[in-house]
């Protein structure tokens, strides 16, 4: 058994851990950092390109981020927050590109318009109200809306092909949306980190035990799965960024802040188009309305993807149920996570989530033909032989105690930190990797408050993220300036002012240099 001491131990080599690692190395290059990953490669679980949607979640097209309230109004608060968070990610990635810490942007991010598409009177009315509410705000004033079939044929020709003329439809569009290969992003971050002093990557290492020392540091026992030997890492700070595997690890630490948390695993599948002629006819991420009871990760969308320079077209995801917390996990994962302190919340959520249960059962029972039939809502002329199934990643939705001590199912991501700031974990799913930079900033603020109070750290953070300390949901002028810079740096071409349309089409002034401040 070997023992070594580090400043920071990162468990998991996905989007979250790699973001925190490179952020801390930029803030203090002298930090000694170790990253431990259970698999033999980096970013092969939830972060891998085929295991997630690749949508740069900016709330432009995701209808579940803008719920309709009982009085008929649209609540945009979550959309504003997610949009600002993604802008933070874009700033950090732009900085890393400028510092040559990341490669040419097209290797990990590409411009793909973000569109919402609905059919039926009720959904069209909702989308119109959503557009009116969002476009009145400076974060979304470049959004376009149309019910005109001719305009929609221009926006999404493949979706409109074969559609009935009298069908009630509507769509919104933001042209500078993005597709992100989070797997490539994470692997390039690790590649940069490995070139730095005082960084070590340990692949094929499982975390077995945690022990907190008298000085508040942690001794973490790792098993090397190649030779079955054990290592002990002594670290002043530990981050659990292991995707679905973070919950069992959090439970092993024994920190009080982890009590009561449980997890509900949801698997996914994609339909992948194998006819390249069809792939080339679509250039957008088109999101629809979620079925009743569906978790956010299961909102149907027809996705243009750019994977290792090649264009692809996916539809889904179709949800399923498994007791695994990781795609390459164990069927005993969920059962092993049941503890006395989370049993009540888990049972309560299980008994009160019948819509979700029915939805998952219906998804599991689907055949290839029924999946293609779901696709036909987006592509009326879809043919079974043009599509094949592919397994997506595993997600674990958060279950925790509510104010009444019972339980509730959370669909977001949540950062948990120990009271002494020596350990942090990230749980949850959507919007996930898109908000990694904001989530890791949260951890830096909570767990490195002393260092962050120094002029050096503060200045460096402001250089990495120019909006740091400012609220982009309130500061229209700053958002406009920063957005233009990041779009230019990352090659996400800013939208241009569209021609004026008539009839049932509404377009705003969408040139960023002319949009309202």
């Amino acid at each position: 058994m070997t023992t070594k001491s580090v400043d920071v131990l990162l468990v998991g080599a996905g989007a979250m851990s790699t973001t925190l690692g490179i952020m801390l190395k930029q803030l203090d290059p002298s930090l000694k950092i170790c990253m431990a990953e259970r698999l033999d490669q980096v970013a092969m679980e939830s972060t891998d390109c085929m295991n997630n949607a690749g949508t740069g979640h900016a709330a432009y097209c995701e209808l579940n981020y803008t719920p309709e309230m009982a009085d008929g109004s649209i609540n945009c608060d979550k959309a504003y927050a997610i949009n600002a968070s993604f802008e933070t990610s874009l700033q950090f990635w732009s900085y890393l590109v400028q510092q040559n810490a990341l490669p040419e942007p097209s290797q990990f991010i590409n411009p793909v318009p973000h569109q919402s598409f609905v059919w039926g009177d009720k959904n069209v009315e909702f989308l119109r109200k959503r557009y009116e509410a969002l476009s009145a705000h400076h974060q979304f004033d470049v959004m376009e809306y149309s019910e005109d079939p001719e305009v929609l044929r221009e926006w999404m020709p493949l979706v409109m092909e074969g559609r009935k003329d009298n069908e009630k439809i509507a769509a919104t569009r933001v042209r500078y949306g993005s597709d992100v290969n989070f797997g490539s992003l994470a692997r390039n971050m690790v590649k940069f980190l490995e070139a730095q002093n005082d960084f070590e990557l340990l692949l094929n290492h499982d975390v077995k035990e945690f022990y907190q020392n008298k000085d508040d540091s942690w001794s973490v026992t790792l098993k090397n799965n190649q030779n079955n030997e054990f290592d002990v890492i002594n670290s002043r700070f530990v981050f659990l960024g292991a995707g679905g595997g973070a919950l069992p690890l959090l439970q092993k630490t024994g920190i009080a802040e982890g009590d009561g948390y449980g997890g509900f695993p949801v698997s996914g599948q994609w339909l992948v188009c194998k006819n390249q002629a069809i792939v080339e006819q679509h250039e957008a991420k088109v999101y629809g309305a979620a079925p009743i009871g569906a978790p956010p990760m299961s909102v149907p969308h027809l996705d243009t993807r750019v994977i290792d320079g090649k264009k692809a077209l996916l539809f889904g995801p179709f949800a399923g149920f498994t007791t695994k917390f990781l795609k390459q996990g164990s069927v005993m994962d969920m059962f092993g996570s049941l503890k006395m302190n989370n049993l009540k919340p888990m049972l309560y959520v299980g008994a009160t989530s019948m819509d979700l249960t029915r939805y998952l059962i219906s998804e599991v029972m689907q055949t290839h033909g029924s999946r293609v039939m779901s696709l036909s809502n987006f592509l009326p002329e879809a043919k079974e032989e043009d599509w094949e199934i592919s397994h997506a990643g595993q997600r674990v939705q958060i279950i925790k105690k509510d104010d009444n001590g019972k339980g509730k199912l959370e669909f977001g991501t949540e950062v948990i930190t120990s009271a002494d700031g020596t350990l942090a974990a990230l749980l949850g799913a959507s919007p996930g990797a898109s908000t990694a930079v904001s989530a890791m900033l949260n951890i830096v603020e909570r767990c490195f408050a002393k260092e962050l109070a120094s002029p050096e750290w503060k200045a460096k953070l402001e250089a990495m993220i120019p909006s740091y300390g400012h609220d982009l949901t309130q500061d229209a002028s700053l958002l406009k300036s920063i957005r233009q810079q990041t779009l230019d740096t990352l090659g996400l071409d800013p939208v241009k002012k569209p021609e004026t349309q008539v009839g049932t089409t509404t377009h705003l002034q969408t040139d960023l240099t002319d949009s309202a401040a």
Side-chain angles (χ1 to χ4, degrees):
M1 180 181 289
T2 61
T3 301
K4 62 185 72 175
S5 296
V6 299
D7 297 304
V8 175
L9 173 62
L10 304 170
V11 180
M16 298 298 174
S17 289
T18 55
T19 297
L20 182 58
I22 202 166
M23 185 180 291
L24 289 173
K25 264 299 185 182
Q26 292 292 314
L27 288 167
D28 184 355
S30 71
L31 285 174
K32 193 169 185 179
I33 299 176
C34 177
M35 178 180 286
E37 166 58 45
R38 64 188 292 269
L39 300 180
D40 60 0
Q41 297 180 64
V42 170
M44 294 306 293
E45 274 283 352
S46 298
T47 301
D48 187 56
C49 60
M50 289 300 288
N51 286 342
N52 63 70
T55 302
H57 285 295
Y60 294 137
C61 56
E62 305 92 330
L63 303 183
N64 55 303
Y65 295 155
T66 49
E68 186 172 9
M69 309 306 287
D71 63 0
S73 64
I74 305 296
N75 187 334
C76 299
D77 292 345
K78 189 172 184 178
Y80 298 151
I82 289 174
N83 183 268
S85 183
F86 187 63
E87 292 289 346
T88 300
S89 293
L90 293 176
Q91 291 174 69
F92 187 57
W93 299 339
S94 296
Y95 168 83
L96 293 177
V97 167
Q98 292 167 341
Q99 299 298 311
N100 295 316
L102 283 177
E104 199 279 322
S106 65
Q107 291 190 30
F108 65 90
I109 189 168
N110 285 274
V112 176
H114 283 197
Q115 302 176 1
S116 301
F117 176 72
V118 298
W119 54 92
D121 291 338
K122 185 177 180 180
N123 286 335
V124 169
E125 180 185 3
F126 165 76
L127 189 64
R128 187 188 303 116
K129 289 195 296 185
R130 179 184 188 268
Y131 163 74
E132 290 170 352
L134 284 177
S135 63
H137 194 276
H138 65 271
Q139 290 175 266
F140 295 87
D141 61 3
V142 293
M143 182 178 283
E144 303 167 80
Y145 173 89
S146 183
E147 298 174 26
D148 186 340
E150 291 304 315
V151 173
L152 299 189
R153 285 190 184 94
E154 177 188 340
W155 290 3
M156 49 184 93
L158 196 60
V159 173
M160 294 300 293
E161 190 173 317
R163 198 167 292 277
K164 295 178 181 179
D165 292 337
N166 62 349
E167 186 176 6
K168 188 71 172 179
I169 53 176
T172 59
R173 176 176 73 163
V174 173
R175 282 193 268 182
Y176 58 72
S178 60
D179 173 69
V180 187
N181 186 333
F182 288 106
S184 176
L185 178 63
R187 285 185 276 273
N188 276 293
M189 285 183 179
V190 171
K191 182 178 180 181
F192 175 79
L193 285 169
E194 287 191 286
Q196 310 308 302
N197 294 326
D198 295 321
F199 176 84
E200 182 178 18
L201 173 65
L202 300 177
L203 298 174
N204 285 303
H205 279 69
D206 269 325
V207 175
K208 293 301 182 181
E209 294 180 1
F210 293 86
Y211 177 79
Q212 189 164 25
N213 304 304
K214 291 182 179 179
D215 64 355
D216 292 335
S217 67
W218 290 87
S219 292
V220 183
T221 302
L222 307 177
K223 180 184 178 183
N224 185 330
N225 293 320
Q226 287 185 305
N227 56 24
N228 291 322
E229 294 183 356
F230 291 85
D231 301 304
V232 175
I233 308 292
N234 294 322
S235 182
R236 293 193 294 114
F237 172 75
V238 177
F239 172 63
L240 308 179
L247 175 61
L249 293 174
L250 177 64
Q251 292 173 332
K252 285 184 178 182
T253 68
I255 65 170
E257 291 77 11
D259 285 354
Y261 279 91
F264 184 83
V266 180
S267 62
Q269 294 178 317
W270 299 108
L271 283 178
V272 181
C273 186
K274 54 185 181 179
N275 185 333
Q276 200 61 28
I278 295 175
V279 174
E280 296 301 329
Q281 296 178 53
H282 189 72
E283 188 74 35
K285 290 181 177 291
V286 181
Y287 274 61
I292 295 174
M297 59 162 282
S298 298
V299 173
H301 41 95
L302 183 66
D303 254 16
T304 290
R305 301 293 306 275
V306 182
I307 300 173
D308 299 328
K310 184 177 180 180
K311 190 174 172 184
L313 183 60
L314 280 64
F315 177 76
F318 297 93
F321 176 73
T322 172
T323 53
K324 291 183 178 182
F325 278 179
L326 293 166
K327 189 174 181 180
Q328 300 185 54
S330 166
V331 293
M332 297 304 295
D333 287 343
M334 188 179 76
F335 304 111
S337 73
L338 295 174
K339 310 294 180 184
M340 288 303 297
N341 61 48
N342 69 10
L343 189 58
K344 183 177 178 180
M346 292 279 287
L347 291 174
Y348 183 81
V349 168
T352 58
S353 301
M354 294 310 297
D355 282 346
L356 176 58
T357 302
R358 283 191 290 268
Y359 169 75
L360 291 176
I361 292 174
S362 68
E363 289 285 281
V364 170
M365 297 299 290
Q366 287 206 68
T367 63
H368 182 65
S370 60
R371 292 188 181 100
V372 174
M373 188 173 295
S374 297
L375 168 62
S376 68
N377 289 317
F378 288 77
L379 299 182
E381 298 191 349
K383 298 176 181 178
E384 290 186 27
E385 59 267 26
D386 291 328
W387 300 81
E388 60 187 359
I389 201 72
S390 173
H391 291 276
Q394 192 74 9
R395 300 292 186 270
V396 178
Q397 308 292 343
I398 301 168
I399 292 176
K400 64 179 183 179
K401 293 178 181 177
D402 60 16
D403 294 337
N404 299 317
K406 295 179 180 178
K408 60 180 178 179
L409 188 63
E410 295 282 347
F411 289 122
T413 50
E414 188 163 334
V415 173
I416 299 166
T417 57
S418 61
D420 58 13
T422 62
L423 185 140
L426 188 131
L427 304 180
S430 180
S434 294
T435 59
V437 177
S438 291
M440 297 306 100
L441 272 177
N442 190 338
I443 288 174
V444 170
E445 290 170 343
R446 292 192 200 182
C447 302
F448 295 84
K450 182 179 178 181
E451 293 86 345
L452 194 54
S454 69
E456 293 81 8
W457 273 49
K458 185 177 180 182
K460 188 68 174 179
L461 206 49
E462 290 173 347
M464 293 191 294
I465 303 168
S467 70
Y468 184 72
H470 301 271
D471 187 352
L472 292 179
T473 68
Q474 301 297 320
D475 195 331
S477 178
L478 180 62
L479 173 68
K480 175 182 173 182
S481 172
I482 285 174
R483 184 176 278 175
Q484 191 70 63
Q485 293 171 9
T486 58
L487 292 178
D488 289 344
T489 301
L490 297 175
L492 306 175
D493 296 334
V495 295
K496 298 178 181 179
K497 189 181 301 181
E499 296 179 2
T500 302
Q501 301 287 340
V502 296
T504 57
T505 307
T506 305
H507 288 275
L508 289 185
Q509 300 293 318
T510 56
D511 189 328
L512 288 175
T513 59
D514 293 337
S515 59

